[in-house]
Amino acid sequence: MKKKSKISKGKRKQYIAAYVFLLPWLIGFLGLVLGPMISSLYLSFTRFDLLNTPEWIGLANFQEMFQDDRWIASAKVTSTFVFIAVPTQLIAALLVAVLLNKKMAGIGFYRTTYYLPSLLGGSVAIAILWKNLFEIDGLVNQVLSFFNIQGQGWISHPDYALGTIIILATWQFGASMVIFLAGLKQIPKELYEAAAVDGGTKPQVFFRVTLPLLSPVIFFNLVIELIKSIQVFTSAFIISEGTGGPINSTLFYTLYLYQKGFTQFEMGYASAMAWILVFVLGVMTLIIFFSSKYWVHYEDGGKL
């Protein structure tokens, strides 16, 4: 009995120590994640202006959303951005990773140079710089005028404003490139040697050896970039000066959510928008996960 009591006491100390180490994370999770999520879920069914007590209105916020022209515009802008920016960024990252996987002088410098934009790209300073580059008297138009090409206000024109933000997102491919580079180095050289012996051309080797073996990395990068792209905010806020203009051409979903919550003080409506965003993001992620069994190839056949 004494031995049993001693073991229980030791385990109790281990449990206490474990919970003490977990306590900072638990406090952060409950106070900064779970608590606000539950609160926003409740507020999404209310009319709340931050000054008065929330008034329960049921599904009215969600019904109003689908009759709101600006909400529909923000959903279209974000969808266009995601379906263009994510593929272009992944393709650019993969191509540069393939180039940097070859032996060449100064390879460390090139890797750092290409990775640097991903560290700086999400900052306010880079967004301001990007805006200045594409303004009517910016560097881009100055370069075009050198070749006698008439430039225009890329930021102020509704047909081109979103394109400048897509270019900025594509330029930030460094993080995906590093992950692709790590994946390329895991592909056995024996497979390339066997393909060379069989007379495979470079395109055949790339599409039949490199891409299938790199598919788990592509899958990972696709999910991460999808989540990042659908939440883009800083660049749109800075470039459009918080308006989403011109003519709603840069009115991203998160920017409109911010306007509703913190400019117009419609916190209930903004909470409903946030939960629609979570739902859509969850559905898109599930689709990618379910489709992965058709195009992602693991060395062990996908078995754990």
Side-chain angles (χ1 to χ4, degrees), residues 168-185:
L168 173 59
T170 305
W171 179 61
Q172 302 165 24
F173 61 78
S176 300
M177 180 207 70
V178 170
I179 298 172
F180 276 134
L181 197 55
L184 287 169
K185 291 191 176 299

Side-chain angles (χ1 to χ4, degrees), residues 9-297:
K9 190 176 179 180
K11 281 189 175 180
R12 193 180 303 117
K13 287 183 178 178
Q14 290 179 356
Y15 291 150
I16 291 173
Y19 282 116
V20 168
F21 281 110
L22 284 172
L23 193 58
W25 180 85
L26 284 172
I27 293 173
F29 176 72
L30 294 174
L32 300 176
V33 178
L34 187 60
M37 285 186 69
I38 295 173
S39 175
S40 71
L41 181 60
Y42 167 72
L43 292 176
S44 67
F45 297 103
T46 67
R47 182 178 289 110
F48 181 45
D49 60 3
L50 292 175
L51 300 176
N52 300 300
T53 305
E55 177 189 355
W56 182 267
I57 56 173
L59 296 173
N61 282 328
F62 295 94
Q63 293 171 344
E64 182 184 344
M65 206 179 299
F66 292 99
Q67 299 170 353
D68 183 350
D69 291 338
R70 294 203 80 206
W71 181 84
I72 294 172
S74 70
K76 287 181 179 177
V77 168
T78 305
S79 301
T80 304
F81 176 80
V82 169
F83 285 109
I84 296 177
V86 172
T88 53
Q89 188 182 71
L90 291 181
I91 290 171
L94 179 58
L95 293 179
V96 174
V98 170
L99 289 175
L100 295 182
N101 194 39
K102 301 180 183 300
K103 292 182 179 179
M104 63 178 78
I107 191 69
F109 171 77
Y110 293 123
R111 288 173 183 168
T112 304
T113 302
Y114 283 110
Y115 181 67
L116 199 58
S118 66
L119 296 177
L120 304 175
S123 67
V124 173
I126 291 297
I128 294 173
L129 174 65
W130 208 257
K131 182 182 177 184
N132 291 332
L133 284 175
F134 284 94
E135 282 186 333
I136 188 69
D137 56 349
L139 181 62
V140 172
N141 281 345
Q142 292 179 21
V143 172
L144 290 176
S145 66
F146 182 78
F147 295 100
N148 293 323
I149 299 175
Q150 179 67 39
Q152 49 191 309
W154 305 99
I155 299 295
S156 58
H157 197 295
D159 291 341
Y160 305 113
L162 181 60
T164 61
I165 300 178
I166 291 175
I167 294 172
L168 173 59
T170 305
W171 179 61
Q172 302 165 24
F173 61 78
S176 300
M177 180 207 70
V178 170
I179 298 172
F180 276 134
L181 197 55
L184 287 169
K185 291 191 176 299
Q186 299 301 316
I187 298 176
K189 293 181 180 178
E190 293 79 7
L191 295 178
Y192 290 116
E193 292 171 356
V197 170
D198 291 340
T201 61
K202 288 186 177 180
Q204 287 175 328
V205 172
F206 179 75
F207 286 106
R208 297 184 180 182
V209 177
T210 303
L211 275 186
L213 292 176
L214 205 59
S215 58
V217 180
I218 296 173
F219 168 70
F220 175 80
N221 275 336
L222 177 61
V223 173
I224 296 299
E225 293 304 326
L226 172 68
I227 294 171
K228 284 170 56 181
S229 298
I230 212 167
Q231 299 179 78
V232 66
F233 175 79
T234 304
S235 54
F237 183 86
I238 297 297
I239 289 174
S240 72
E241 298 180 351
T243 63
I247 317 177
N248 295 335
S249 59
T250 58
L251 185 64
F252 281 78
Y253 195 94
T254 50
L255 179 56
Y256 188 47
L257 190 155
Y258 171 83
Q259 290 178 350
K260 279 292 185 183
F262 298 98
T263 303
Q264 303 173 18
F265 301 112
E266 296 182 28
M267 195 57 72
Y269 190 93
S271 298
M273 284 185 64
W275 277 99
I276 289 291
L277 181 65
V278 170
F279 175 76
V280 171
L281 189 54
V283 170
M284 292 179 74
T285 306
L286 281 176
I287 291 173
I288 294 173
F289 267 86
F290 281 119
S291 69
S292 66
K293 62 183 177 184
Y294 299 107
W295 60 275
V296 178
H297 307 283

